[in-house]
Amino acid sequence: MTTTTSPGVTRRGRAAAAPPAIDPRPRWQPALVILLVWFVVWLFTRGHDTLVLLGRDKTSVMNALNDFRDHMLAGRDTNPLMRITGALADAFRSMVTWLQRLISIPAEPRPVPRIGWLGVTAVATWLGYALANWRIALLTLGTFVSFGLFGYWSDSMDLLIIVGVSVLICVVIGLPLGILAGTKKRANGVIEPVLDLLQTMPTFVYLLPIVLFFGIGAASAVVATMLYAVPPLIRIAAHGIRSVPATMIEVADSLGQTRWQRLRTVQLPIAKRTIIVGLNQTTMAALSMATIASFVDGPGLGKPVLAGLRINDVGTALIPGLLIVAIAIMLDRGTTAASERADVIARGGGLKPPVHRALLVGGGLAAVAALWLSTQKFWAAEFTDRGIGRRIANVADHAVDSVTSSISPFTGSIKDGITYGLLNPLQSFIAESPWWLAFLAIAALAFVLGGWKSFVPALACLAGIRFFGEWHNAMITLAMTLVATLLCMAIAVVVGVAMARSPRTDLAVRPFLDAGQTIPAFVYLVPVLALFGPSRFTGIIAALAYAAPVAIKLVADGVKGVSATTMEAARSTGASRLQQIRKVQLPMARASLVLATNQGLLFVLAMAVIAGMVGAGALGYDVVLGTTRSEEWGKGAAAGITIVLLGILLDRIARRAAEPAPKETQWLSLPRGRR
Amino acid sequence: MTTPADSSALQVRGLWKIFGPKAERLIGTPDAALSRAELQRKSGHVIGVRDVSFDVAPGEVFVVMGLSGSGKSTLVRLLTRLIEPTAGTVVLDGQELTAMDDAALRQVRRDKISMVFQHFGLLPHRKVIDNVAFGLEIRGDNKTNRRARAQNMINLVGLSGYEQNFPDQLSGGMQQRVGLARALAGDPAVLMFDEPFSALDPLIRRDMQKEVIRLHDEVGKTMVFITHDLDEALKLGDRILIMRDGEIVQIGQPDEIIGAPADDYVRDFVADVNKAHVLTLRWVMRPPSSDLEGVGAPTLNQSTIVRTAARTVLAHQGVVRVVDDAGSFVGVVDDEDILRVVVAEQDHE
Amino acid sequence: MQVTQNRPIGALAALAAIALGATACGGGDISKAEQSNASASSAAAANNKCGTINMAVNPWVSYEASAYVVGEIAKSKLGCTVNYKELKEDVSWQGFGTGEVDVVIEDWGHPDLEKKFMKDKGGDGSAEDGGPNGNKGIIHWYVPPWLAAAHPDILDYQNLNKYAADFKTSESGGQGQFLGSDPSYVQFDEAIIKNLDLNFKVVFSGGEAASLEAFKKAEANKEWLIGYFWEPQYLFADVPLKAVKLPPYTDGCQDDPAKVACDYPDTVLEKIFSTKWAAKTDDAGVAFVKKFQWSNEDQNTVAKYIAVDKMDPAAAAKKWIDANPDKVKAWLG
């Protein structure tokens, strides 16, 4: 079918007819020249104008930010914005409290929640069976029982409540926005950059302004979780609606549909599966953010994890951490199975054998009986803590202790090698350059690598970083980010290629990647801290643990996407395994590699704040400082903004430098065709 | 062709589609006369359909044929304004579609025109019966009516028993039957087919072509049928419009197209066609040398297809007389004339 | 499809409603407890009722010890509702105004926050001083005992530069490393180092546990380490860290954070209350918390239960409460 052809496309089409022009000067040559000039000037100017800002020093911009915060706080009862957010905060808080009193905390004057563990577990299990299948029911049963068994019933319920409320709000807000973005190009033009920003922004940076407007506790937890979790839903819903086949839209039009009819009868039903994928992604994102929200007193399993970090006890942090993973698995498998099941039922496959029906009814009655019991009897209301969790925690703690102490000489030499060999020289090069030198050099690099389209945003970001007064820290963070990304990609290529070439490796590695993406970052901070001490390297390891799973998956899927025919052709020429990887698979998976690098960069940067908490200093430290000390709020905000600017800067340069790779997001990280 | 314009089911005048920004400004300028490739090079605009005019008589099966890129799919979409024409008028049943606002156009689409699509365009989340009733639902018919109507249509296309299935449980041919039933359900004045059978395998395609002929005989709808398959065009079309590069090359009845190709392009096109199946005696007969030539020999109508006539002609020694519809003697054919068509065929094979 | 999907949920919701309705008239043991709770609280209301205490729990173990001992006594002896909120110091103070926090049980002195929230210091009046909690806070620069024994002169700041090179790490970029702690603590070390011309660089451990671990490890492995640390802290029982002498604290020498060049003062640790909460004169909980005071030794005992014996803070508090009935009685009397 003929569609509108824009002049640009045809011009490119014509150019393609001529033999492809060979770029006479590869882009890396001028880049190398710039680096060389930078180095030479650095030799003579090193240490001057580096804009070092001591711990408690503040620039006037930071003070202005502080004043702004004070102004907002002072106007808590008069400022209309503050009153709206205050009212919203109250609404969220009372919603969460009501649910907590229902299943998690004592509903005064009752000494226990209104529904006890037995009731909640029975109902959840029954729902698992009714909406999905018996496997999901067993999974649910196991997960809920382990909440109580390990002594984290209340925290687990709290986490589920925060996730549930946030996801509900995500749906209410995100679905209409997704539809809007999917159907209206102009709306998409507005929504897309906002989502970009939300997804580039490290999670901790959210917390600063949110606490200002919504106070500490459940309300902030809900808002932060919602903000973090809603982009995938909007994006994927829009994507789903956009990818409804054109024929279907034509059919609808040819039958004389109105827009609303088209949306209701064609676009939404066809995009339903995709939207459910989005909902699933949103739920997973909500789970991870709800955990982090414990930093602002958000209820949930994040709290015991944090407590474990505070007393440096791996065991204490590990069990709630694993429970979070269990919840993730349960929600992921559960929603997927339920949507598949709903499809089957919708397609008339819902006719159930009598056994199933009997189980459904019997189970339902049993669930209700359990529910009733749990409102009446203490044993069914409160899970008696048998100290199992504590015992396992102690074992885990000892195990980790002995492992860390036995391998610490070895890991210490890795740390020293990378710190002295890579990190320190790079940091001294970038951060000890005068600010104007680094500024010019980075802008010039942006230009030669990505042209005007990356030069202009790069210039704006650099100017912003300079303006907010965190230049030196930004450069230190930049150095760390680069080193971490380099390591991340090295790991991603090695593991990713291995996974792509051997299904067995893939099968073995993938669960760990899934867990690595779900388990809250500060769980593994404890052993890492024990191994490497408070240092930038610890921060880098934390960032790696967070970023590597995503990058590995992208590389593996990209390499796997190289067609079997191409590989056959390569083998037929007698290429060795290494040649196959180097000459065929990696170049053909280039788009995935670029995407992985880009994602790696952003993920590593997102961990800058966590890194700041384990001795890596720089921007991350100032953000933490800002969240914890009121007089440093402005400094923290400036550092937070600087992290975001740094993210945009790196993203733009990497993205343009890798043209013609199309831009994609982590949420749509499907294996893509090559151009 | 001789149909008076005011009684035609569909009347198309000066229809243009040029893709690209501000295309309407090009109409009437010398640029519009440039060839497709030249215009594209010059301004980046792409001509989809260039100055097309034709009429379709009520009850006629009008086939638009062309290779891919000829603009035929664009043309059919212009007829219902699924693509907005750059210039020209389309009049359906005396109503000018090209002058309507959205609401009026929607009403026409609901009541007067239906379309059958190449890739069926069935909604995967709806059962067969709900797919068939879809258009009725959209125009707001009540549930009992539309169910009954849809059931009738399903029976009509021979899918009884499959009402509760989902589209992906049906074969391609059956899916297109659903598409057909959906198009028929609204009882439209005109049915548009956009290469409906090109995604089907040959055997099924033949079945479906027969089905269309049968339906046409039963319901007598006006049909506009797009195809790239000449055999299909010849089999179905009362008249055929051949397009190339967005322009009309020739309009005519099947035997006219084969017998008197308008240019080399069409001649090339029809070269491989099984002429014996299409050509009528009119195209192979020669004028009688005298009124008395072949007196006593069998008489055949000039619109008899060569293949049908062959047995009679070959069985008879000497010429056979050919008469027109009025019965007057217009020419003669002999074995030679028939064999020329049939043998030429075998050479090709 | 909607119907098939929703039917089980709908049915369940209806049954759940019935089951919940039954709690109102049920005869289970919980209902009895509920009734007795309700009557107890109404009885308590007659003479001295106890409402809710929102207890901030700041991120160090000794604080946790105090918070939970107070909280558990209020809960078990007075029937108060106690909400523990794990917050950093600053966030806790902000909570006074919004009603999210009632009590900070161990405050190390925050002139800036006092200025913002205390009426007599010119603030909005949402917070008030609750008097000393009995603990004495001591902050110093410390070195592990082995180092003090091996190089006694290291205990004077004037000799520190001599050893700067020995304190070097991969993080300190050529200078000696000084280990800072949790960003939320009161720390002036960067300014002190700069203003005393010391060749050191502050590297922040990130939290109490990391600092503690570092000092333990330094003592065990005879590593060079100098850093910020404080008492009361249960570590001193095992590893008696030695303080490094800095120019002594004088009044006002820490007023300008950028110009600090003196040691930290010994702090009388205070309780800080939400003004609104503290104004409830007929609340038994308020009266008790106002009266609460205990020693560094008591606090270290409970802190050790928590951090070393890995007890749940509430359980640790209970253990101490059961072992010290007379002290508890004095606070309640």
Side-chain angles (χ1 to χ4, degrees):
Chain A
M1 188 188 60
T2 326
T3 46
T4 318
T5 316
S6 76
V9 172
T10 51
R11 241 171 258 135
R12 207 181 302 154
R14 189 157 49 88
I22 294 163
D23 195 349
R25 255 177 333 132
R27 283 186 289 200
W28 55 266
Q29 271 182 4
L32 217 58
V33 171
I34 291 172
L35 285 176
L36 204 69
V37 172
W38 185 355
F39 180 72
V40 171
V41 180
W42 171 79
L43 280 179
F44 297 99
T45 56
R46 152 172 207 197
H48 295 280
D49 297 333
T50 53
L51 303 182
V52 177
L53 199 64
L54 278 183
R56 309 305 283 266
D57 290 354
K58 284 184 281 291
T59 64
S60 56
V61 176
M62 294 171 186
N63 286 325
L65 283 169
N66 254 346
D67 292 344
F68 164 75
R69 192 269 320 261
D70 290 343
H71 176 75
M72 294 308 275
L73 274 184
R76 198 182 283 134
D77 300 322
T78 49
N79 183 315
L81 181 62
M82 291 297 276
R83 285 176 63 181
I84 292 172
T85 55
L88 276 176
D90 284 343
F92 293 151
R93 207 174 295 129
S94 56
M95 203 184 329
V96 170
T97 310
W98 187 84
L99 288 169
Q100 279 183 310
R101 286 167 60 93
L102 188 65
I103 57 173
S104 150
I105 58 170
E108 303 291 342
R110 283 169 72 80
V112 288
R114 285 158 63 90
I115 301 177
W117 71 269
L118 187 67
V120 176
T121 306
V123 171
T125 308
W126 184 81
L127 278 180
Y129 183 66
L131 299 179
N133 52 46
W134 61 269
R135 273 182 229 98
I136 298 298
L138 278 185
L139 180 66
T140 312
L141 178 68
T143 311
F144 274 74
V145 168
S146 59
F147 293 158
L149 213 54
F150 293 125
Y152 291 101
W153 179 263
S154 184
D155 287 328
S156 308
M157 289 304 106
D158 286 349
L159 183 61
L160 288 177
I161 288 170
I162 295 288
V163 169
V165 171
S166 310
V167 169
L168 191 76
I169 302 172
C170 279
V171 171
V172 171
I173 296 176
L175 212 51
L177 280 180
I179 291 169
L180 201 65
T183 49
K184 294 252 192 306
K185 229 177 176 161
R186 199 173 302 166
N188 191 41
V190 178
I191 293 172
E192 189 81 10
V194 176
L195 298 185
D196 269 350
L197 186 70
L198 281 176
Q199 293 195 310
T200 331
M201 200 148 42
T203 44
F204 282 89
V205 177
Y206 283 70
L207 296 177
L208 277 166
I210 288 175
V211 170
L212 173 58
F213 288 108
F214 293 91
I216 48 175
S220 273
V222 167
V223 175
T225 306
M226 191 276 289
L227 278 182
Y228 180 73
V230 80
L233 181 63
I234 298 179
R235 261 191 223 277
I236 296 178
H239 170 78
I241 283 179
R242 267 195 296 265
S243 38
V244 170
T247 321
M248 308 266 179
I249 303 290
E250 264 195 334
V251 168
D253 281 351
S254 79
L255 291 167
Q257 274 197 350
T258 59
R259 259 172 219 289
W260 169 241
Q261 283 179 322
R262 169 161 88 191
L263 184 67
R264 199 170 47 81
T265 56
V266 180
Q267 287 171 313
L268 280 183
I270 293 178
K272 191 180 130 210
R273 265 166 173 281
T274 318
I275 293 176
I276 286 177
V277 172
L279 199 60
N280 180 298
Q281 292 268 11
T282 287
T283 312
M284 294 299 121
L287 190 61
S288 73
M289 187 65 197
T291 311
I292 292 176
S294 58
F295 273 93
V296 289
D297 198 37
L301 279 170
K303 283 186 155 187
V305 177
L306 265 188
L309 184 59
R310 193 166 67 233
I311 60 171
N312 222 1
D313 179 19
V314 188
T316 305
L318 186 70
I319 291 184
L322 288 178
L323 286 179
I324 293 170
V325 175
I327 293 179
I329 294 172
M330 176 184 76
L331 289 177
D332 184 37
R333 305 283 190 279
T335 49
T336 310
S339 77
E340 277 165 9
R341 172 72 192 281
D343 271 0
V344 173
I345 292 176
R347 299 173 59 90
L351 287 177
K352 301 154 196 145
V355 182
H356 174 85
R357 188 165 298 181
L359 265 174
L360 203 59
V361 173
L365 288 176
V368 170
L371 194 68
W372 184 80
L373 264 181
S374 79
T375 64
Q376 297 299 325
K377 299 287 174 195
F378 269 111
W379 64 265
E382 265 183 323
F383 215 109
T384 348
D385 187 1
R386 295 174 201 285
I388 296 174
R390 188 63 261 161
R391 280 201 291 280
I392 296 177
N394 286 343
V395 171
D397 201 33
H398 285 129
V400 172
D401 266 358
S402 65
V403 170
T404 50
S405 61
S406 64
I407 64 169
S408 81
F410 171 67
T411 53
S413 60
I414 294 182
K415 170 191 166 188
D416 285 348
I418 287 178
T419 308
Y420 287 116
L422 201 57
L423 186 56
N424 281 352
L426 189 66
Q427 180 176 322
S428 118
F429 180 52
I430 297 180
E432 285 175 27
S433 291
W435 73 268
W436 44 266
L437 176 61
F439 188 110
L440 289 176
I442 294 173
L445 281 175
F447 184 71
V448 300
L449 290 176
W452 289 104
K453 277 190 176 164
S454 70
F455 177 69
V456 174
L459 206 62
C461 289
L462 287 167
I465 293 172
R466 174 73 185 87
F467 174 76
F468 283 105
E470 284 277 7
W471 184 270
H472 185 67
N473 280 335
M475 292 303 115
I476 296 179
T477 297
L478 176 62
M480 274 191 290
T481 306
L482 292 178
V483 170
T485 308
L486 201 70
L487 294 176
C488 174
M489 286 316 292
I491 295 172
V493 167
V494 171
V495 180
V497 169
M499 281 170 70
R501 293 185 64 93
S502 146
R504 205 180 300 166
T505 313
D506 190 312
L507 213 62
V509 174
R510 213 165 266 267
F512 288 99
L513 299 183
D514 288 339
Q517 279 182 292
T518 335
I519 202 163
F522 29 97
V523 172
Y524 40 73
L525 229 46
V526 182
V528 175
L529 202 57
L531 277 180
F532 302 112
S535 65
R536 285 164 299 158
F537 188 73
T538 306
I540 287 177
I541 294 291
L544 271 183
Y546 182 56
V550 182
I552 292 173
K553 277 186 184 175
L554 284 172
V555 171
D557 291 345
V559 174
K560 230 182 281 176
V562 175
S563 81
T565 334
T566 315
M567 288 309 295
E568 240 177 9
R571 271 196 297 277
S572 74
T573 61
S576 73
R577 197 149 61 116
L578 203 64
Q579 280 172 326
Q580 285 172 29
I581 294 174
R582 219 162 45 82
K583 308 242 176 205
V584 182
Q585 287 180 309
L586 286 183
M588 291 193 70
R590 178 169 172 274
S592 301
L593 285 177
V594 169
L595 186 63
T597 314
N598 210 349
Q599 286 302 316
L601 266 175
L602 291 182
F603 271 55
V604 164
L605 198 58
M607 285 298 279
V609 181
I610 294 263
M613 293 194 290
V614 291
L619 290 179
Y621 175 81
D622 283 350
V623 172
V624 179
L625 189 67
T627 54
T628 53
R629 294 201 69 86
S630 72
E631 76 273 21
E632 305 295 343
W633 192 90
K635 191 170 189 175
I641 296 169
T642 305
I643 292 181
V644 176
L645 290 174
L646 206 54
I648 299 174
L649 174 79
L650 290 172
D651 181 54
R652 286 306 127 97
I653 296 180
R655 202 183 273 181
R656 292 290 160 200
E659 297 267 56
K663 109 186 193 197
E664 282 217 25
T665 67
Q666 70 201 73
W667 309 111
L668 295 174
S669 52
L670 312 161
R672 295 170 308 156
R674 290 150 307 280
R675 303 210 137 187
Chain B
M1 275 178 300
T2 50
T3 327
D6 51 358
S7 73
S8 56
L10 186 68
Q11 188 190 66
V12 178
R13 289 291 175 272
L15 205 56
W16 282 82
K17 178 67 197 180
I18 302 179
F19 294 105
K22 308 232 162 85
E24 62 284 350
R25 291 192 191 162
L26 285 172
I27 309 287
T29 68
D31 278 358
L34 290 173
S35 81
R36 220 187 212 188
E38 280 172 62
L39 181 66
Q40 190 174 343
R41 200 167 310 138
K42 185 168 172 190
S43 66
H45 287 82
V46 176
I47 294 187
V49 168
R50 182 202 296 267
D51 198 16
V52 166
S53 304
F54 61 87
D55 291 287
V56 180
E60 185 179 12
V61 179
F62 187 82
V63 175
V64 178
M65 209 219 61
L67 300 179
S68 60
S70 63
K72 57 188 189 307
S73 282
T74 308
L75 177 61
V76 75
R77 283 169 175 74
L78 293 177
L79 299 183
T80 56
R81 283 178 58 194
L82 283 176
I83 298 177
E84 284 294 337
T86 311
T89 57
V90 176
V91 176
L92 180 99
D93 254 358
Q95 290 175 288
E96 190 182 338
L97 249 63
T98 35
M100 286 178 177
D101 61 17
D102 280 356
L105 179 65
R106 218 159 32 227
Q107 212 52 51
V108 168
R109 286 178 182 168
R110 288 178 181 188
D111 299 335
K112 296 256 170 93
I113 324 173
S114 298
M115 202 155 160
V116 179
F117 293 86
Q118 179 176 8
H119 296 293
F120 323 139
L122 302 182
L123 301 177
H125 57 286
R126 288 173 161 242
K127 293 172 185 164
V128 165
I129 187 147
D130 294 323
N131 260 297
V132 173
F134 187 48
L136 305 174
E137 185 184 327
I138 284 175
R139 72 181 182 201
D141 291 9
N142 72 41
K143 192 160 182 166
T144 20
N145 281 355
R146 64 181 194 237
R147 282 265 161 161
R149 174 84 188 152
Q151 188 61 55
N152 281 343
M153 291 306 116
I154 289 171
N155 297 344
L156 184 66
V157 299
L159 280 180
S160 315
Y162 291 98
E163 297 83 0
Q164 303 301 319
N165 285 72
F166 281 86
D168 58 5
Q169 296 165 327
L170 304 181
S171 69
M174 289 161 93
Q175 289 190 33
Q176 195 54 295
R177 279 171 202 262
V178 179
L180 254 174
R182 178 177 63 194
L184 288 168
D187 196 21
V190 177
L191 274 170
M192 311 260 182
F193 294 81
D194 179 24
E195 300 201 43
F197 309 139
S198 58
L200 304 178
D201 59 48
L203 279 180
I204 312 263
R205 195 183 309 163
R206 211 163 59 198
D207 277 354
M208 292 301 292
Q209 288 161 354
K210 278 189 196 142
E211 186 75 19
V212 168
I213 293 171
R214 180 179 71 82
L215 285 172
H216 186 247
D217 291 347
E218 272 179 45
V219 298
K221 301 273 180 216
T222 310
M223 295 180 178
V224 176
F225 197 104
I226 310 294
T227 181
H228 65 259
D229 176 354
L230 186 63
D231 281 329
E232 188 168 85
L234 295 169
K235 194 181 285 175
L236 298 177
D238 290 327
R239 281 189 304 143
I240 298 169
L241 184 163
I242 295 183
M243 281 187 89
R244 184 182 51 176
D245 286 353
E247 287 174 88
I248 297 178
V249 181
Q250 186 173 11
I251 302 183
Q253 290 166 358
D255 55 334
E256 287 176 320
I257 302 279
I258 303 287
D263 62 6
D264 289 346
Y265 177 74
V266 181
R267 191 167 298 120
D268 243 23
F269 223 126
V270 301
D272 289 348
V273 163
N274 203 336
K275 294 200 177 68
H277 290 216
V278 182
L279 281 184
T280 54
L281 293 180
R282 170 152 45 129
W283 301 98
V284 298
M285 70 187 186
R286 55 189 160 78
S289 48
S290 75
D291 271 358
L292 295 175
E293 187 176 8
V295 167
T299 308
L300 290 170
N301 189 294
Q302 66 172 8
S303 59
T304 314
I305 289 170
V306 170
R307 199 173 70 132
T308 325
R311 183 176 294 269
T312 317
V313 177
L314 296 178
H316 181 73
Q317 290 292 325
V319 298
V320 168
R321 289 165 68 95
V322 180
V323 297
D324 65 10
D325 290 345
S328 39
F329 178 44
V330 290
V332 293
V333 289
D334 57 16
D335 297 1
E336 187 92 351
D337 299 322
I338 297 295
L339 286 174
R340 206 168 41 237
V341 175
V342 176
V343 171
E345 204 64 48
Q346 281 162 349
D347 280 355
H348 277 295
E349 288 163 12
Chain C
M1 122 199 168
Q2 235 72 20
V3 182
T4 8
Q5 242 186 324
N6 289 346
R7 199 179 46 199
I9 301 175
L12 193 81
L15 288 170
I18 297 169
L20 278 182
T23 56
C25 52
D29 45 6
I30 294 178
S31 316
K32 279 179 211 140
E34 179 176 347
Q35 275 151 23
S36 78
N37 268 3
S39 56
S41 66
S42 63
N47 34 33
N48 61 342
K49 72 174 170 101
C50 179
T52 306
I53 302 176
N54 290 307
M55 172 72 74
V57 181
N58 288 173
W60 58 94
V61 177
S62 50
Y63 185 109
E64 209 170 15
S66 297
Y68 274 87
V69 165
V70 170
E72 291 310 302
I73 292 173
K75 242 192 219 172
S76 61
K77 311 284 178 191
L78 299 174
C80 314
T81 308
V82 180
N83 301 324
Y84 297 106
K85 305 200 168 182
E86 283 166 22
L87 301 168
K88 304 247 172 174
E89 295 159 75
D90 257 86
V91 188
S92 316
W93 281 71
Q94 283 168 34
F96 289 136
T98 58
E100 285 160 304
V101 172
D102 296 326
V103 178
V104 165
I105 201 71
E106 180 181 308
D107 179 69
W108 285 66
H110 289 86
D112 54 311
L113 292 172
E114 289 164 15
K115 246 183 265 167
K116 206 175 287 168
F117 297 111
M118 286 187 174
K119 192 131 225 164
D120 52 345
K121 305 266 166 63
D124 65 4
S126 57
E128 68 173 46
D129 192 343
N133 74 357
N135 296 134
K136 199 171 101 180
I138 302 164
I139 303 175
H140 285 306
W141 288 9
Y142 288 98
V143 292
W146 80 266
L147 193 56
H151 305 275
D153 61 338
I154 210 167
L155 295 180
D156 188 332
Y157 79 95
Q158 287 164 353
N159 301 324
L160 279 177
N161 277 348
K162 194 166 83 182
Y163 296 107
D166 294 307
F167 287 107
K168 214 159 65 173
T169 70
S170 64
E171 298 308 297
S172 57
Q175 298 171 301
Q177 170 179 297
F178 179 93
L179 192 67
S181 195
D182 187 308
S184 66
Y185 299 170
V186 184
Q187 294 169 85
F188 299 110
D189 310 309
E190 276 186 323
I192 297 173
I193 286 170
K194 190 177 156 212
N195 295 327
L196 293 181
D197 274 331
L198 298 176
N199 190 19
F200 279 79
K201 185 179 174 218
V202 180
V203 172
F204 291 94
S205 71
E208 179 184 25
S211 293
L212 196 119
E213 203 67 26
F215 275 109
K216 263 205 242 169
K217 223 171 121 191
E219 176 62 13
N221 303 344
K222 303 259 182 292
E223 291 164 5
W224 287 74
L225 185 73
I226 181 165
Y228 172 103
F229 214 73
W230 64 94
E231 288 180 75
Q233 224 295 349
Y234 61 90
L235 174 69
F236 282 84
D238 297 336
V239 185
L241 302 179
K242 298 291 177 225
V244 174
K245 193 170 74 65
L246 289 175
Y249 175 82
T250 53
D251 265 350
C253 81
Q254 291 193 342
D255 281 0
D256 182 351
K259 295 198 179 125
V260 181
C262 58
D263 206 346
Y264 294 91
D266 286 356
T267 314
V268 175
L269 304 185
E270 308 258 327
K271 296 172 281 188
I272 310 288
F273 301 145
S274 142
T275 311
K276 235 183 268 165
W277 177 82
K280 297 186 202 164
T281 45
D282 57 345
D283 191 309
V286 177
F288 155 62
V289 180
K290 281 184 175 169
K291 219 165 182 181
F292 167 83
Q293 271 193 3
W294 69 343
S295 66
N296 282 12
E297 288 69 42
D298 283 334
Q299 194 192 43
N300 279 345
T301 308
V302 180
K304 224 174 160 182
Y305 291 159
I306 299 172
V308 180
D309 304 342
K310 302 279 163 71
M311 284 175 76
D312 177 70
K318 214 167 262 162
K319 184 172 171 187
W320 185 89
I321 294 169
D322 292 345
N324 296 277
D326 41 332
K327 286 181 184 165
V328 174
K329 213 168 158 195
W331 293 328
L332 294 173

